[in-house]
C-alpha cells in the first residue's frame, strides 16, 4: 500500500510542528524518519494513524483519503511509549488487540502465540505486564503491532531499550516483512538503523531537510556516514 | 465492544485492590454507618431539681434514662461541661427549664423523647402519638437514610474508578493505540459503560443484599427494582467519570473533581429535605443524577412503590446516561475524527 502525504502542515497552538511536508512511502519499502527530539517525527506518524488531523494538506492510502476504516484495518501502529495494559497478561493484551482487528477463536490464539514466540515472550505470556521489564514491554508492544499481519507498519522508535541481539532480529524481521510487500515507516534516532532503510527523511524543527534513498544520502557525505549528514543538516536547518 | 468489555472485566479481575475498592469498601462503609447510625444503647443521665413533680419523676424513671437529684447549690453548666449529666431540669414560675450541653446531638433527641413519653403517661389526654404514612417513628437513622447511602456509595466508587481508568488509558498511550485500530468510538465508550456496568451490577446487588439480610435494613419494595436503580445510577457514574477525565491530566486530578461532582450531589440526595431549602435551591437537584437515583430508591425501599411510580426517575437516569455517552463519544474525536 502506498501512503502519500501532500503539503502537510500541523501546528499545536502557535507552534508549527510540521511545515509543508510532501512525502510518499511505497509498498515494499522501509522509510526511515530521522531527526532530533521535537523534529516532528512522532507528529508525522500520528497523522498517518489518524490520531491527528493535518491543518493543511492531505494523506491518501492507496489513493483513498485517510482516515478511513478500511485503511485502519491495514495499519499496525507501535507508539513510542509501550501502550500496553499493565494489569493484563502479555497474552491477554494480544487477544484484546487481535479482537479489534476481527481475529477470533483458534486463529486469534495462534496468531497471539506466534507473535509472542517471535518476540521471545512465550514463557512469560501469562505474567502480568506490570511484572515485565522495560525491554519485555517494548517487545510485547511490537508483537501487538504485528500480530494481525498489517500491510502498513508505523513504528515510532521501535527498538529503544532493546538489546543488540534482539534489535538485529527485529530488523531482520522488518526486512522480511518489506520483502513481503509491506509499507514500513520507522522513526529512529539510531543512524545505524537508518542504513537498513531504503529511503530516509531528515526532519528538523518540522521541516523536511532531506528525502532520498539512503544510498544517495550516504553519497552526499564525505565520510560516508548518515550521522555526519545529520549534523550537516542540523547546521543547515539552524542557518535557515 | 465485546472486546473492550472482556478486557475491562479481566483487568478488574487482575487488579485485586481495585476490585476490593468496588466490592469490599462499600460493604465496610455500610457496616460502619450501621454501627454509627443504628440503635443506640446509650442511657442519658438527667439531673432534676428537688422540687421536680413526683408523678412526672416516677414516669421519667420508667424511660430509658438515668435520673437523679441535683445537689443544692451545684452549678448546672459545670456539671454539663464536665459530662456529669446530659440534661439538668429545674422548675420555675415559667415552667420546666431543661438545659443541655449542645444542640443538635443524638443525646438531646433521646432525652426529649423520654420527657415526652413521661409527660404523656402522666396526662394521657394530652399525649401525642406521631405516626407516618411511610417509615416508623422508632426507625433508626440507618434505616431512614439507608437509601441515600446506597445511592451515593454506588455512584461514588464507580465514578472514581471509571474516571481513573480513562485517564490511565490516555496517560499510558493505550487510548491512542486503540484509536489507531478499526474500533468505533461508540464501541470504546459502550464497552467502558457496559464493562463497568456489569461490575457495578454485582456491587449493587451485594450492597442491597448485605444491607437487607446482614444489617437488617427494612425494605418495603422489590429488591430487584432497587438494584436496577443502583445499576442505572452506576452507569451514569461511569459516563460522568469518563467525561470528567477529559479535563484531568492525571489520576490525582480526577480526585480533585470529587468536591465538584460528588459532594454537592450528596447534599441533594435526600440527606436534607429539599422542600425546606431557601431560595428554591431544592430545584438544583433536578440537574443531579444522584437525586433521581436516591428519589427512586426512597420510593422503592421506604414507600414500597413499584416501577409504575418511579418511571420518571428511571427515565431521567437514562437521559443522563445518554447525554454523557454522546458527549464522551464526541470527546473521543480528539483522538480520531472518524
Amino acid at each position: 500500500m502506498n501512503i502519500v502525504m501532500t503539503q502537510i502542515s500541523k501546528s499545536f497552538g502557535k507552534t508549527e510542528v510540521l511545515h509543508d511536508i510532501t512525502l510518499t512511502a511505497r509498498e515494499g519499502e522501509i522509510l526511515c524518519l530521522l531527526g532530533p527530539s521535537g523534529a516532528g517525527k512522532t507528529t508525522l506518524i500520528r497523522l498517518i494513524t489518524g490520531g491527528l488531523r493535518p491543518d493543511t494538506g492531505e494523506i491518501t492510502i492507496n489513493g483513498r483519503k485517510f482516515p478511513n476504516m478500511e485503511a485502519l484495518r491495514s495499519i499496525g501502529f507501535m507508539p513510542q511509549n509501550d501502550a500496553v495494559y499493565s494489569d493484563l497478561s502479555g497474552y491477554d493484551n494480544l487477544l484484546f488487540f487481535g479482537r479489534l482487528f476481527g481475529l477470533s477463536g483458534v486463529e486469534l490464539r495462534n496468531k497471539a502465540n506466534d507473535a509472542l514466540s517471535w518476540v521471545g515472550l512465550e514463557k512469560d505470556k501469562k505474567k502480568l505486564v506490570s511484572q515485565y521489564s522495560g525491554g519485555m514491554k517494548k517487545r510485547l508492544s511490537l508483537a501487538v503491532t504485528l500480530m494481525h499481519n498489517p500491510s502498513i507498519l508505523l513504528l515510532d522508535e521501535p527498538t529503544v531499550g532493546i538489546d543488540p541481539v534482539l534489535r538485529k532480529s527485529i530488523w531482520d524481521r522488518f526486512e522480511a516483512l518489506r520483502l513481503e510487500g509491506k509499507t514500513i515507516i520507522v522513526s529512529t534516532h539510531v543512524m545505524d538503523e537508518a542504513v537498513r532503510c531504503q529511503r530516509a527523511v531528515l526532519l528538523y524543527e518540522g521541516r523536511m531537510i532531506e528525502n532520498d534513498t539512503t544510498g544517495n544520502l550516504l553519497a552526499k557525505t564525505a565520510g560516508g556516514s548518515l550521522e555526519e549528514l545529520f549534523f550537516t543538516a542540523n547546521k543547515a536547518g539552524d542557518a535557515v | 465492544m465485546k472486546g473492550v468489555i472482556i478486557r475491562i472485566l479481566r483487568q478488574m479481575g487482575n487488579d485485586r485492590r481495585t476490585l476490593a475498592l468496588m466490592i469490599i469498601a462499600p460493604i465496610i462503609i455500610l457496616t460502619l454507618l450501621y454501627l454509627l447510625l443504628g440503635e443506640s444503647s446509650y442511657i442519658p443521665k438527667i439531673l432534676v431539681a428537688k422540687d421536680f413533680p413526683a408523678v412526672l419523676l416516677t414516669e421519667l424513671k420508667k424511660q430509658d434514662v438515668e435520673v437523679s437529684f441535683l445537689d443544692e447549690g451545684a452549678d448546672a453548666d459545670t456539671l454539663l461541661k464536665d459530662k456529669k449529666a446530659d440534661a439538668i431540669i429545674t422548675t420555675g414560675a415559667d415552667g420546666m427549664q431543661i438545659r443541655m450541653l449542645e444542640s443538635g446531638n443524638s443525646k438531646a433527641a433521646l432525652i426529649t423523647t423520654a420527657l415526652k413519653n413521661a409527660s404523656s403517661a402522666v396526662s394521657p389526654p394530652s399525649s401525642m402519638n406521631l405516626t407516618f404514612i411511610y417509615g416508623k417513628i422508632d426507625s433508626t437513622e440507618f434505616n431512614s437514610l439507608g437509601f441515600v447511602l446506597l445511592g451515593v456509595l454506588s455512584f461514588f466508587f464507580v465514578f472514581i474508578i471509571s474516571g481513573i481508568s480513562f485517564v490511565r488509558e490516555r496517560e499510558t498511550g493505550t487510548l491512542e493505540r486503540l484509536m489507531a485500530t478499526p474500533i468505533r468510538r461508540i464501541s470504546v465508550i459502550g464497552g467502558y459503560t457496559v464493562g463497568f456496568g456489569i461490575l457495578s451490577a454485582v456491587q449493587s446487588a451485594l450492597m442491597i443484599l448485605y444491607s437487607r439480610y446482614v444489617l437488617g435494613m427494612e425494605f418495603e419494595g422489590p429488591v430487584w427494582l432497587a438494584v436496577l436503580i443502583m445499576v442505572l445510577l452506576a452507569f451514569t457514574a461511569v459516563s460522568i467519570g469518563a467525561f470528567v477525565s477529559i479535563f484531568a491530566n492525571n489520576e490525582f486530578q480526577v480526585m480533585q473533581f470529587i468536591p465538584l461532582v460528588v459532594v454537592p450531589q450528596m447534599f441533594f440526595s435526600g440527606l436534607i429535605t429539599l422542600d425546606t431549602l431557601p431560595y428554591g435551591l431544592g430545584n438544583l437537584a433536578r440537574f443531579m443524577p444522584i437525586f433521581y437515583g436516591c428519589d427512586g430508591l426512597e420510593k422503592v425501599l421506604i414507600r414500597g412503590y413499584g416501577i409504575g411510580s418511579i418511571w420518571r426517575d428511571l427515565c431521567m437516569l437514562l437521559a443522563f446516561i445518554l447525554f454523557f455517552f454522546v458527549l464522551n463519544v464526541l470527546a473521543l474525536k480528539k483522538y480520531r475524527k472518524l
Side-chain angles (χ1 to χ4, degrees), chain B residues 156-201:
Chain B
F156 181 68
F157 287 105
V158 179
F159 168 78
I160 290 179
I161 290 168
S162 74
I164 286 178
S165 296
F166 236 88
V167 164
R168 206 184 280 172
E169 189 102 52
R170 285 195 286 127
E171 264 187 322
T172 57
T174 48
L175 185 59
E176 190 189 3
R177 177 169 235 161
L178 202 58
M179 297 315 288
T181 72
I183 193 169
R184 296 195 175 274
R185 284 181 280 127
I186 198 166
S187 300
V188 177
I189 301 298
Y192 252 83
T193 311
V194 176
F196 280 107
I198 292 170
L199 287 167
S200 70

Coordinates of all heavy atoms in Angstrom, one line a residue, chain B residues 156-201:
Chain B
F156 N -20.4 6.9 43.9 CA -19.0 7.4 44.3 C -17.9 6.5 43.8 O -17.0 6.9 43.1 CB -19.0 7.6 45.8 CG -17.7 8.1 46.3 CD1 -17.3 9.4 46.0 CD2 -16.9 7.3 47.1 CE1 -16.1 9.9 46.5 CE2 -15.6 7.7 47.6 CZ -15.2 9.0 47.3
F157 N -18.0 5.2 44.1 CA -16.9 4.3 43.8 C -16.8 4.1 42.3 O -15.7 4.0 41.7 CB -17.1 3.0 44.5 CG -16.8 3.1 45.9 CD1 -17.8 3.1 46.9 CD2 -15.5 3.2 46.4 CE1 -17.6 3.2 48.2 CE2 -15.3 3.4 47.8 CZ -16.3 3.4 48.7
V158 N -17.9 4.0 41.6 CA -17.8 3.8 40.1 C -17.3 5.0 39.4 O -16.5 4.9 38.5 CB -19.2 3.3 39.6 CG1 -19.2 3.1 38.1 CG2 -19.7 2.1 40.2
F159 N -17.7 6.2 39.9 CA -17.2 7.4 39.4 C -15.7 7.5 39.4 O -15.0 7.8 38.4 CB -17.8 8.6 40.1 CG -17.2 9.9 39.8 CD1 -17.5 10.6 38.7 CD2 -16.3 10.5 40.7 CE1 -17.0 11.9 38.4 CE2 -15.7 11.7 40.4 CZ -16.0 12.4 39.3
I160 N -15.1 7.2 40.6 CA -13.7 7.3 40.8 C -13.0 6.3 39.9 O -12.0 6.6 39.1 CB -13.3 7.0 42.3 CG1 -13.8 8.1 43.2 CG2 -11.8 6.8 42.4 CD1 -13.4 7.9 44.6
I161 N -13.4 5.1 39.9 CA -12.7 4.0 39.1 C -12.8 4.2 37.6 O -11.8 4.1 36.9 CB -13.2 2.6 39.6 CG1 -12.8 2.4 41.0 CG2 -12.7 1.5 38.7 CD1 -13.4 1.2 41.7
S162 N -14.0 4.6 37.2 CA -14.1 4.8 35.7 C -13.3 6.0 35.3 O -12.6 6.0 34.2 CB -15.5 4.9 35.3 OG -16.0 6.2 35.6
G163 N -13.3 7.1 36.1 CA -12.5 8.3 35.7 C -11.1 8.0 35.7 O -10.4 8.4 34.7
I164 N -10.6 7.3 36.7 CA -9.1 7.0 36.7 C -8.8 6.0 35.6 O -7.7 6.2 35.0 CB -8.8 6.4 38.1 CG1 -8.8 7.5 39.1 CG2 -7.4 5.7 38.1 CD1 -8.5 7.1 40.6
S165 N -9.6 5.1 35.3 CA -9.3 4.1 34.2 C -9.1 4.9 32.9 O -8.2 4.6 32.1 CB -10.4 3.1 34.0 OG -10.5 2.3 35.2
F166 N -10.0 5.8 32.7 CA -9.9 6.6 31.4 C -8.7 7.4 31.3 O -8.1 7.5 30.3 CB -11.2 7.4 31.2 CG -11.9 7.1 30.0 CD1 -12.9 6.1 29.9 CD2 -11.6 7.8 28.8 CE1 -13.5 5.8 28.7 CE2 -12.2 7.5 27.6 CZ -13.2 6.5 27.5
V167 N -8.4 8.1 32.4 CA -7.2 8.9 32.5 C -5.9 8.1 32.2 O -5.0 8.4 31.5 CB -7.1 9.7 33.8 CG1 -5.7 10.2 34.0 CG2 -8.0 10.8 33.8
R168 N -5.9 6.9 32.9 CA -4.8 6.0 32.7 C -4.7 5.5 31.3 O -3.6 5.4 30.7 CB -5.0 4.8 33.6 CG -3.7 4.1 34.0 CD -3.9 2.9 34.9 NE -4.2 3.2 36.2 CZ -4.6 2.3 37.1 NH1 -4.8 1.0 36.7 NH2 -4.9 2.6 38.3
E169 N -5.8 5.3 30.6 CA -5.8 4.9 29.2 C -5.1 6.0 28.4 O -4.4 5.7 27.4 CB -7.3 4.7 28.8 CG -7.5 4.1 27.5 CD -7.8 2.6 27.5 OE1 -8.8 2.2 28.2 OE2 -7.2 1.8 26.8
R170 N -5.4 7.2 28.7 CA -4.8 8.3 27.9 C -3.3 8.5 28.3 O -2.5 8.7 27.4 CB -5.5 9.6 28.2 CG -6.8 9.7 27.5 CD -7.4 11.1 27.4 NE -7.9 11.5 28.7 CZ -7.5 12.6 29.3 NH1 -6.7 13.4 28.8 NH2 -8.1 12.9 30.5
E171 N -3.0 8.4 29.6 CA -1.6 8.6 30.1 C -0.7 7.6 29.5 O 0.5 7.9 29.2 CB -1.6 8.4 31.6 CG -1.7 9.7 32.4 CD -1.5 9.5 33.9 OE1 -2.0 8.5 34.4 OE2 -0.8 10.3 34.5
T172 N -1.1 6.3 29.5 CA -0.2 5.2 29.0 C -0.1 5.1 27.5 O 0.7 4.3 27.0 CB -0.6 3.9 29.6 OG1 -2.0 3.6 29.2 CG2 -0.6 3.9 31.1
G173 N -1.0 5.8 26.8 CA -0.9 5.8 25.3 C -1.8 4.7 24.7 O -1.8 4.5 23.5
T174 N -2.5 3.9 25.6 CA -3.3 2.8 25.1 C -4.5 3.3 24.3 O -4.9 2.7 23.4 CB -3.7 1.8 26.2 OG1 -4.3 2.6 27.2 CG2 -2.6 0.9 26.6
L175 N -5.0 4.5 24.7 CA -6.1 5.1 24.0 C -5.7 5.5 22.6 O -6.5 5.2 21.6 CB -6.7 6.3 24.8 CG -8.0 6.9 24.2 CD1 -9.1 5.9 24.2 CD2 -8.4 8.1 25.0
E176 N -4.5 6.0 22.5 CA -4.0 6.4 21.2 C -3.9 5.2 20.3 O -4.2 5.2 19.1 CB -2.7 7.1 21.3 CG -2.2 7.8 20.0 CD -0.8 8.3 20.1 OE1 -0.1 8.1 21.2 OE2 -0.3 8.8 19.1
R177 N -3.4 4.1 20.9 CA -3.2 2.9 20.1 C -4.5 2.3 19.7 O -4.7 1.8 18.6 CB -2.4 1.9 21.0 CG -2.2 0.6 20.3 CD -1.2 -0.3 21.1 NE -0.2 -0.8 20.2 CZ 1.0 -1.2 20.6 NH1 1.3 -1.3 21.8 NH2 1.9 -1.6 19.7
L178 N -5.5 2.4 20.7 CA -6.8 1.8 20.5 C -7.5 2.6 19.3 O -8.1 2.0 18.4 CB -7.6 2.1 21.8 CG -8.8 1.3 22.1 CD1 -8.5 -0.2 22.1 CD2 -9.5 1.7 23.4
M179 N -7.3 3.9 19.3 CA -7.9 4.7 18.2 C -7.2 4.5 16.9 O -7.7 5.1 15.9 CB -8.0 6.2 18.6 CG -8.8 6.4 19.9 SD -10.4 5.6 19.9 CE -11.3 6.5 18.7
A180 N -6.0 3.9 16.9 CA -5.4 3.6 15.6 C -5.8 2.2 15.0 O -5.2 1.7 14.1 CB -3.9 3.6 15.8
T181 N -6.8 1.6 15.7 CA -7.4 0.4 15.2 C -8.7 0.7 14.6 O -9.3 1.8 14.8 CB -7.5 -0.7 16.4 OG1 -8.6 -0.2 17.2 CG2 -6.3 -0.8 17.2
P182 N -9.4 -0.3 14.0 CA -10.7 0.0 13.3 C -11.8 0.0 14.3 O -13.0 0.0 13.9 CB -10.9 -1.1 12.3 CG -9.8 -2.1 12.5 CD -8.9 -1.6 13.6
I183 N -11.6 0.1 15.6 CA -12.7 0.2 16.6 C -13.4 1.5 16.4 O -12.8 2.5 16.1 CB -12.2 0.0 18.0 CG1 -13.3 -0.3 19.0 CG2 -11.3 1.2 18.5 CD1 -12.9 -0.7 20.4
R184 N -14.7 1.4 16.6 CA -15.5 2.7 16.5 C -15.6 3.4 17.9 O -15.5 2.7 18.9 CB -17.0 2.4 16.1 CG -17.0 1.8 14.7 CD -18.4 1.8 14.1 NE -18.2 1.3 12.7 CZ -17.9 2.1 11.6 NH1 -17.7 3.4 11.8 NH2 -17.8 1.6 10.4
R185 N -15.6 4.7 17.8 CA -15.6 5.5 19.1 C -16.8 5.0 20.0 O -16.6 4.9 21.2 CB -15.7 7.0 18.8 CG -14.4 7.6 18.3 CD -14.6 9.0 18.0 NE -15.2 9.3 16.7 CZ -16.2 10.1 16.6 NH1 -16.8 10.7 17.6 NH2 -16.8 10.2 15.4
I186 N -17.9 4.7 19.4 CA -19.1 4.4 20.2 C -18.8 3.0 20.9 O -19.3 2.8 22.0 CB -20.3 4.3 19.3 CG1 -21.6 4.4 20.1 CG2 -20.4 3.2 18.3 CD1 -22.9 4.7 19.3
S187 N -18.0 2.2 20.2 CA -17.7 0.9 20.9 C -16.8 1.0 22.1 O -16.9 0.3 23.0 CB -17.1 -0.1 19.8 OG -17.9 -0.3 18.8
V188 N -15.9 2.0 22.0 CA -15.0 2.2 23.1 C -15.8 2.7 24.3 O -15.7 2.1 25.4 CB -13.9 3.3 22.8 CG1 -13.0 3.6 24.0 CG2 -13.1 2.9 21.6
I189 N -16.6 3.7 24.1 CA -17.4 4.2 25.2 C -18.5 3.2 25.7 O -18.7 3.0 26.9 CB -18.1 5.6 24.8 CG1 -17.1 6.6 24.4 CG2 -19.0 6.1 26.0 CD1 -16.1 7.0 25.5
G190 N -19.1 2.5 24.7 CA -20.1 1.5 25.0 C -19.4 0.4 25.8 O -20.0 -0.1 26.8
G191 N -18.3 -0.1 25.4 CA -17.5 -1.1 26.1 C -17.2 -0.7 27.6 O -17.4 -1.5 28.5
Y192 N -16.8 0.5 27.7 CA -16.5 1.0 29.1 C -17.7 1.0 29.9 O -17.7 0.6 31.1 CB -15.9 2.4 29.0 CG -14.4 2.5 29.3 CD1 -13.5 2.2 28.3 CD2 -14.0 2.8 30.6 CE1 -12.1 2.2 28.6 CE2 -12.6 2.8 30.9 CZ -11.7 2.5 29.9 OH -10.4 2.5 30.2
T193 N -18.8 1.6 29.4 CA -20.0 1.7 30.1 C -20.6 0.4 30.5 O -20.9 0.2 31.7 CB -21.1 2.5 29.3 OG1 -20.5 3.7 28.8 CG2 -22.3 2.9 30.1
V194 N -20.6 -0.6 29.6 CA -21.2 -1.9 29.9 C -20.2 -2.7 30.8 O -20.7 -3.3 31.8 CB -21.5 -2.7 28.6 CG1 -22.0 -4.1 28.9 CG2 -22.5 -1.9 27.8
G195 N -18.9 -2.6 30.5 CA -17.9 -3.3 31.4 C -18.1 -2.9 32.8 O -18.2 -3.7 33.7
F196 N -18.0 -1.6 33.1 CA -18.1 -1.1 34.4 C -19.6 -1.3 35.0 O -19.8 -1.5 36.2 CB -17.7 0.4 34.5 CG -16.2 0.5 34.6 CD1 -15.5 1.0 33.5 CD2 -15.5 0.2 35.7 CE1 -14.2 1.2 33.6 CE2 -14.2 0.3 35.8 CZ -13.5 0.8 34.7
G197 N -20.5 -1.3 34.0 CA -21.9 -1.5 34.4 C -22.1 -2.9 35.0 O -22.8 -3.1 36.0
I198 N -21.4 -3.9 34.4 CA -21.5 -5.3 34.9 C -20.9 -5.3 36.3 O -21.5 -5.9 37.2 CB -20.8 -6.3 34.0 CG1 -21.5 -6.4 32.6 CG2 -20.6 -7.6 34.6 CD1 -20.8 -7.1 31.5
L199 N -19.8 -4.7 36.5 CA -19.2 -4.7 37.8 C -20.1 -4.0 38.8 O -20.2 -4.4 40.0 CB -17.8 -4.0 37.8 CG -16.7 -4.8 37.1 CD1 -15.5 -3.9 36.8 CD2 -16.3 -5.9 38.0
S200 N -20.7 -2.9 38.4 CA -21.5 -2.1 39.3 C -22.8 -2.9 39.6 O -23.3 -2.7 40.7 CB -21.8 -0.7 38.8 OG -22.7 -0.9 37.7
A201 N -23.2 -3.7 38.7 CA -24.4 -4.5 39.0 C -24.1 -5.5 40.1 O -24.9 -5.7 41.0 CB -24.9 -5.3 37.7

